[in-house]
Structure formats: structure tokens, C-alpha cells
Amino acid sequence: MKALLLAWLMFQGKPIPQPIPYSHKVHLGLGLQCKNCHTNPDPGELMGIPAATVCMGCHQSIKTDSPHIQKLAGFAQQKRNVPWNRVYQIPSYVYFSHKVHTDAGNTCEDCHGPVKEREALWKEKDISMGACMSCHMAKNALNDCNTCHEEK
């Protein structure tokens, strides 16, 4: 049921509810960059979702009286990940490397939209096969099947 609700909200262009409110607009407005929180460990395929302990690096002394930060601190103390609801999910049969795309000059905004302007996120960019192929064509990138799908 939860998955259906999230899918419907994404289709409607509505923010996806999260267990703890998080404003990319506020955090990026303070000078943070995507890579400060979303790491891209070798070999570079997946961007990481920050652990609660990463957030607590700043929030151990910032907004400590906030109930949301206290909830975050609880996750960190228990060494648990915050159960964020995914906004974008690439199908398992698709090979996608964030490193390849960023090394080619693509920005986070190219696929995720103007995140730095958002208090809450929703799926506002199309990451379908057709959209990816259109982007590859526009940027003269490889566009054959094996670029994104393994041969069987």
C-alpha cells in the first residue's frame, strides 16, 4: 500500500513524505554541495544516502532542540539508517554509473531537477529509457543497448 501511495504522489508531482523533514534548499543555501552528503565511493556507480551520523556532524550543535533533529540523533545513536523513501530508483536491469555521468560533465540537476530550490523532493525529471536515450542523443553519447544493459 505504501509503495502505491508513493508512486501516486510521484506521478502527481507531489513531495514524497519522509520520516524526517529535510530541506535541500536550506542546506544547499548554507553552502553545502551535493557531494558533501551524497558520497560516490569506488567504483562510482552509486551515490550514497548519508548516514544519520553524517548529519549529526553538524547537528550535534545546530538545532539540537528540534524534535526532528532529536529523532535523527536517535537513529545515529542506534547506528541505524534513516528509512528515507526513495524519490528516484533505477531498475535493476539498467547499468548506470554516476561517476561516468559526472565525469562527462553532467550535473545532479540534469537528472534530479533543481534540488537546490526544493524544500521537499518529488520525481520531477523523467528517467525513463526514452528520456535517457534522448539525452544521450542530444549529447552525442553512446546510445546502443549495451551501454545501459548487459548482454545476455
Side-chain angles (χ1 to χ4, degrees):
M1 187 67 165
K2 178 181 168 183
L4 287 174
L5 173 63
L6 294 176
W8 183 83
L9 287 170
M10 280 191 251
F11 180 73
Q12 300 298 316
K14 304 262 188 213
I16 303 302
Q18 297 296 345
I20 298 172
Y22 180 86
S23 170
H24 283 83
K25 182 178 183 176
V26 166
H27 288 82
L28 294 171
L30 292 170
L32 291 173
Q33 297 178 358
C34 301
K35 65 183 178 183
N36 294 130
C37 301
H38 297 280
T39 59
N40 189 251
D42 285 334
E45 272 72 54
L46 299 173
M47 296 300 288
I49 306 264
T53 54
V54 171
C55 304
M56 290 309 296
C58 293
H59 283 292
Q60 63 185 333
S61 61
I62 297 172
K63 289 188 75 173
T64 57
D65 57 339
S66 162
H68 301 303
I69 300 305
Q70 292 169 1
K71 185 176 181 181
L72 179 67
F75 281 108
Q77 289 169 346
Q78 297 170 15
K79 297 187 181 356
R80 291 181 46 217
N81 291 327
V82 177
W84 300 110
N85 290 312
R86 301 257 340 193
V87 176
Y88 290 94
Q89 179 69 47
I90 298 169
S92 61
Y93 54 84
V94 174
Y95 168 75
F96 181 88
S97 169
H98 279 89
K99 183 175 180 4
V100 167
H101 285 80
T102 56
D103 286 354
N106 294 289
T107 67
C108 301
E109 293 81 7
D110 289 338
C111 297
H112 296 283
V115 171
K116 66 183 173 189
E117 300 171 12
R118 303 290 180 241
E119 293 292 338
L121 300 184
W122 65 91
K123 186 177 176 185
E124 59 183 296
K125 295 288 271 189
D126 183 4
I127 59 166
S128 68
M129 183 172 137
C132 292
M133 290 183 77
S134 292
C135 184
H136 277 227
M137 279 193 284
K139 296 184 179 202
N140 294 318
L142 289 175
N143 215 2
D144 62 320
C145 299
N146 294 346
T147 301
C148 304
H149 303 280
E150 289 184 27
E151 286 187 71
K152 296 210 176 198

PDB file of all heavy atoms in Angstrom, residues 113-129:
ATOM      1  N   GLY A 113      16.627  17.425 -11.298  1.00  0.00           N
ATOM      2  CA  GLY A 113      15.906  18.687 -11.265  1.00  0.00           C
ATOM      3  C   GLY A 113      16.566  19.699 -10.340  1.00  0.00           C
ATOM      4  O   GLY A 113      17.643  19.456  -9.792  1.00  0.00           O
ATOM      5  N   PRO A 114      15.928  20.842 -10.160  1.00  0.00           N
ATOM      6  CA  PRO A 114      16.503  21.928  -9.352  1.00  0.00           C
ATOM      7  C   PRO A 114      16.392  21.671  -7.845  1.00  0.00           C
ATOM      8  O   PRO A 114      15.686  22.370  -7.121  1.00  0.00           O
ATOM      9  CB  PRO A 114      15.695  23.145  -9.793  1.00  0.00           C
ATOM     10  CG  PRO A 114      14.366  22.582 -10.181  1.00  0.00           C
ATOM     11  CD  PRO A 114      14.656  21.224 -10.771  1.00  0.00           C
ATOM     12  N   VAL A 115      17.094  20.643  -7.397  1.00  0.00           N
ATOM     13  CA  VAL A 115      17.031  20.218  -5.995  1.00  0.00           C
ATOM     14  C   VAL A 115      17.347  21.373  -5.048  1.00  0.00           C
ATOM     15  O   VAL A 115      16.725  21.508  -3.994  1.00  0.00           O
ATOM     16  CB  VAL A 115      17.991  19.025  -5.766  1.00  0.00           C
ATOM     17  CG1 VAL A 115      18.121  18.680  -4.304  1.00  0.00           C
ATOM     18  CG2 VAL A 115      17.509  17.821  -6.563  1.00  0.00           C
ATOM     19  N   LYS A 116      18.277  22.229  -5.435  1.00  0.00           N
ATOM     20  CA  LYS A 116      18.683  23.316  -4.532  1.00  0.00           C
ATOM     21  C   LYS A 116      17.558  24.319  -4.276  1.00  0.00           C
ATOM     22  O   LYS A 116      17.652  25.132  -3.369  1.00  0.00           O
ATOM     23  CB  LYS A 116      19.928  24.025  -5.051  1.00  0.00           C
ATOM     24  CG  LYS A 116      19.738  24.777  -6.344  1.00  0.00           C
ATOM     25  CD  LYS A 116      21.039  25.383  -6.810  1.00  0.00           C
ATOM     26  CE  LYS A 116      20.878  25.992  -8.185  1.00  0.00           C
ATOM     27  NZ  LYS A 116      22.142  26.401  -8.741  1.00  0.00           N
ATOM     28  N   GLU A 117      16.482  24.245  -5.036  1.00  0.00           N
ATOM     29  CA  GLU A 117      15.341  25.134  -4.850  1.00  0.00           C
ATOM     30  C   GLU A 117      14.201  24.464  -4.087  1.00  0.00           C
ATOM     31  O   GLU A 117      13.161  25.082  -3.868  1.00  0.00           O
ATOM     32  CB  GLU A 117      14.815  25.587  -6.216  1.00  0.00           C
ATOM     33  CG  GLU A 117      15.834  26.339  -7.037  1.00  0.00           C
ATOM     34  CD  GLU A 117      15.366  26.572  -8.463  1.00  0.00           C
ATOM     35  OE1 GLU A 117      14.170  26.352  -8.764  1.00  0.00           O
ATOM     36  OE2 GLU A 117      16.212  26.970  -9.284  1.00  0.00           O
ATOM     37  N   ARG A 118      14.391  23.203  -3.670  1.00  0.00           N
ATOM     38  CA  ARG A 118      13.286  22.421  -3.119  1.00  0.00           C
ATOM     39  C   ARG A 118      13.352  22.242  -1.608  1.00  0.00           C
ATOM     40  O   ARG A 118      14.377  21.849  -1.066  1.00  0.00           O
ATOM     41  CB  ARG A 118      13.242  21.029  -3.769  1.00  0.00           C
ATOM     42  CG  ARG A 118      13.131  21.057  -5.275  1.00  0.00           C
ATOM     43  CD  ARG A 118      11.760  21.561  -5.707  1.00  0.00           C
ATOM     44  NE  ARG A 118      11.671  21.592  -7.166  1.00  0.00           N
ATOM     45  CZ  ARG A 118      11.456  22.685  -7.862  1.00  0.00           C
ATOM     46  NH1 ARG A 118      11.343  23.851  -7.267  1.00  0.00           N
ATOM     47  NH2 ARG A 118      11.372  22.632  -9.169  1.00  0.00           N
ATOM     48  N   GLU A 119      12.228  22.518  -0.964  1.00  0.00           N
ATOM     49  CA  GLU A 119      12.072  22.209   0.459  1.00  0.00           C
ATOM     50  C   GLU A 119      11.882  20.707   0.636  1.00  0.00           C
ATOM     51  O   GLU A 119      12.349  20.122   1.602  1.00  0.00           O
ATOM     52  CB  GLU A 119      10.869  22.954   1.048  1.00  0.00           C
ATOM     53  CG  GLU A 119      11.042  24.454   1.111  1.00  0.00           C
ATOM     54  CD  GLU A 119      12.090  24.903   2.114  1.00  0.00           C
ATOM     55  OE1 GLU A 119      12.399  24.148   3.049  1.00  0.00           O
ATOM     56  OE2 GLU A 119      12.606  26.018   1.953  1.00  0.00           O
ATOM     57  N   ALA A 120      11.149  20.087  -0.290  1.00  0.00           N
ATOM     58  CA  ALA A 120      10.913  18.642  -0.285  1.00  0.00           C
ATOM     59  C   ALA A 120      10.999  18.165  -1.735  1.00  0.00           C
ATOM     60  O   ALA A 120      10.738  18.938  -2.661  1.00  0.00           O
ATOM     61  CB  ALA A 120       9.548  18.324   0.304  1.00  0.00           C
ATOM     62  N   LEU A 121      11.364  16.904  -1.905  1.00  0.00           N
ATOM     63  CA  LEU A 121      11.604  16.398  -3.259  1.00  0.00           C
ATOM     64  C   LEU A 121      10.474  15.509  -3.761  1.00  0.00           C
ATOM     65  O   LEU A 121       9.787  14.855  -2.992  1.00  0.00           O
ATOM     66  CB  LEU A 121      12.907  15.599  -3.294  1.00  0.00           C
ATOM     67  CG  LEU A 121      14.173  16.350  -2.912  1.00  0.00           C
ATOM     68  CD1 LEU A 121      15.382  15.441  -3.087  1.00  0.00           C
ATOM     69  CD2 LEU A 121      14.330  17.621  -3.705  1.00  0.00           C
ATOM     70  N   TRP A 122      10.332  15.508  -5.063  1.00  0.00           N
ATOM     71  CA  TRP A 122       9.451  14.595  -5.768  1.00  0.00           C
ATOM     72  C   TRP A 122      10.134  14.262  -7.070  1.00  0.00           C
ATOM     73  O   TRP A 122      11.114  14.887  -7.456  1.00  0.00           O
ATOM     74  CB  TRP A 122       8.070  15.216  -5.992  1.00  0.00           C
ATOM     75  CG  TRP A 122       8.069  16.423  -6.890  1.00  0.00           C
ATOM     76  CD1 TRP A 122       7.895  16.451  -8.238  1.00  0.00           C
ATOM     77  CD2 TRP A 122       8.270  17.795  -6.492  1.00  0.00           C
ATOM     78  NE1 TRP A 122       7.964  17.743  -8.709  1.00  0.00           N
ATOM     79  CE2 TRP A 122       8.197  18.586  -7.655  1.00  0.00           C
ATOM     80  CE3 TRP A 122       8.492  18.419  -5.264  1.00  0.00           C
ATOM     81  CZ2 TRP A 122       8.348  19.964  -7.615  1.00  0.00           C
ATOM     82  CZ3 TRP A 122       8.643  19.786  -5.255  1.00  0.00           C
ATOM     83  CH2 TRP A 122       8.557  20.543  -6.406  1.00  0.00           C
ATOM     84  N   LYS A 123       9.624  13.263  -7.754  1.00  0.00           N
ATOM     85  CA  LYS A 123      10.219  12.859  -9.027  1.00  0.00           C
ATOM     86  C   LYS A 123       9.737  13.839 -10.092  1.00  0.00           C
ATOM     87  O   LYS A 123       8.633  13.734 -10.594  1.00  0.00           O
ATOM     88  CB  LYS A 123       9.813  11.424  -9.378  1.00  0.00           C
ATOM     89  CG  LYS A 123      10.501  10.903 -10.602  1.00  0.00           C
ATOM     90  CD  LYS A 123      10.114   9.455 -10.845  1.00  0.00           C
ATOM     91  CE  LYS A 123      10.727   8.948 -12.114  1.00  0.00           C
ATOM     92  NZ  LYS A 123      10.262   7.585 -12.399  1.00  0.00           N
ATOM     93  N   GLU A 124      10.600  14.803 -10.407  1.00  0.00           N
ATOM     94  CA  GLU A 124      10.205  15.822 -11.379  1.00  0.00           C
ATOM     95  C   GLU A 124      10.932  15.675 -12.713  1.00  0.00           C
ATOM     96  O   GLU A 124      10.622  16.373 -13.660  1.00  0.00           O
ATOM     97  CB  GLU A 124      10.371  17.219 -10.804  1.00  0.00           C
ATOM     98  CG  GLU A 124      11.755  17.596 -10.358  1.00  0.00           C
ATOM     99  CD  GLU A 124      11.779  18.978  -9.731  1.00  0.00           C
ATOM    100  OE1 GLU A 124      11.490  19.970 -10.441  1.00  0.00           O
ATOM    101  OE2 GLU A 124      12.071  19.066  -8.538  1.00  0.00           O
ATOM    102  N   LYS A 125      11.906  14.795 -12.771  1.00  0.00           N
ATOM    103  CA  LYS A 125      12.612  14.555 -14.029  1.00  0.00           C
ATOM    104  C   LYS A 125      12.314  13.127 -14.484  1.00  0.00           C
ATOM    105  O   LYS A 125      12.250  12.196 -13.678  1.00  0.00           O
ATOM    106  CB  LYS A 125      14.120  14.723 -13.850  1.00  0.00           C
ATOM    107  CG  LYS A 125      14.551  16.134 -13.499  1.00  0.00           C
ATOM    108  CD  LYS A 125      14.428  17.090 -14.650  1.00  0.00           C
ATOM    109  CE  LYS A 125      15.700  17.095 -15.440  1.00  0.00           C
ATOM    110  NZ  LYS A 125      15.822  18.086 -16.446  1.00  0.00           N
ATOM    111  N   ASP A 126      12.136  12.970 -15.769  1.00  0.00           N
ATOM    112  CA  ASP A 126      11.862  11.664 -16.361  1.00  0.00           C
ATOM    113  C   ASP A 126      13.175  10.895 -16.493  1.00  0.00           C
ATOM    114  O   ASP A 126      14.115  11.385 -17.117  1.00  0.00           O
ATOM    115  CB  ASP A 126      11.230  11.886 -17.737  1.00  0.00           C
ATOM    116  CG  ASP A 126      10.836  10.603 -18.440  1.00  0.00           C
ATOM    117  OD1 ASP A 126      10.970   9.512 -17.847  1.00  0.00           O
ATOM    118  OD2 ASP A 126      10.392  10.702 -19.604  1.00  0.00           O
ATOM    119  N   ILE A 127      13.243   9.730 -15.885  1.00  0.00           N
ATOM    120  CA  ILE A 127      14.437   8.887 -16.031  1.00  0.00           C
ATOM    121  C   ILE A 127      14.073   7.579 -16.746  1.00  0.00           C
ATOM    122  O   ILE A 127      14.689   6.554 -16.530  1.00  0.00           O
ATOM    123  CB  ILE A 127      15.134   8.611 -14.677  1.00  0.00           C
ATOM    124  CG1 ILE A 127      14.201   7.916 -13.691  1.00  0.00           C
ATOM    125  CG2 ILE A 127      15.693   9.911 -14.097  1.00  0.00           C
ATOM    126  CD1 ILE A 127      14.913   7.325 -12.487  1.00  0.00           C
ATOM    127  N   SER A 128      13.077   7.671 -17.622  1.00  0.00           N
ATOM    128  CA  SER A 128      12.686   6.501 -18.415  1.00  0.00           C
ATOM    129  C   SER A 128      13.751   6.234 -19.473  1.00  0.00           C
ATOM    130  O   SER A 128      14.624   7.066 -19.740  1.00  0.00           O
ATOM    131  CB  SER A 128      11.339   6.750 -19.093  1.00  0.00           C
ATOM    132  OG  SER A 128      11.483   7.763 -20.088  1.00  0.00           O
ATOM    133  N   MET A 129      13.659   5.084 -20.088  1.00  0.00           N
ATOM    134  CA  MET A 129      14.597   4.727 -21.153  1.00  0.00           C
ATOM    135  C   MET A 129      14.547   5.770 -22.283  1.00  0.00           C
ATOM    136  O   MET A 129      15.587   6.204 -22.784  1.00  0.00           O
ATOM    137  CB  MET A 129      14.268   3.336 -21.696  1.00  0.00           C
ATOM    138  CG  MET A 129      15.219   2.844 -22.752  1.00  0.00           C
ATOM    139  SD  MET A 129      14.863   1.112 -23.120  1.00  0.00           S
ATOM    140  CE  MET A 129      14.985   1.136 -24.881  1.00  0.00           C
TER     141      MET A 129
END
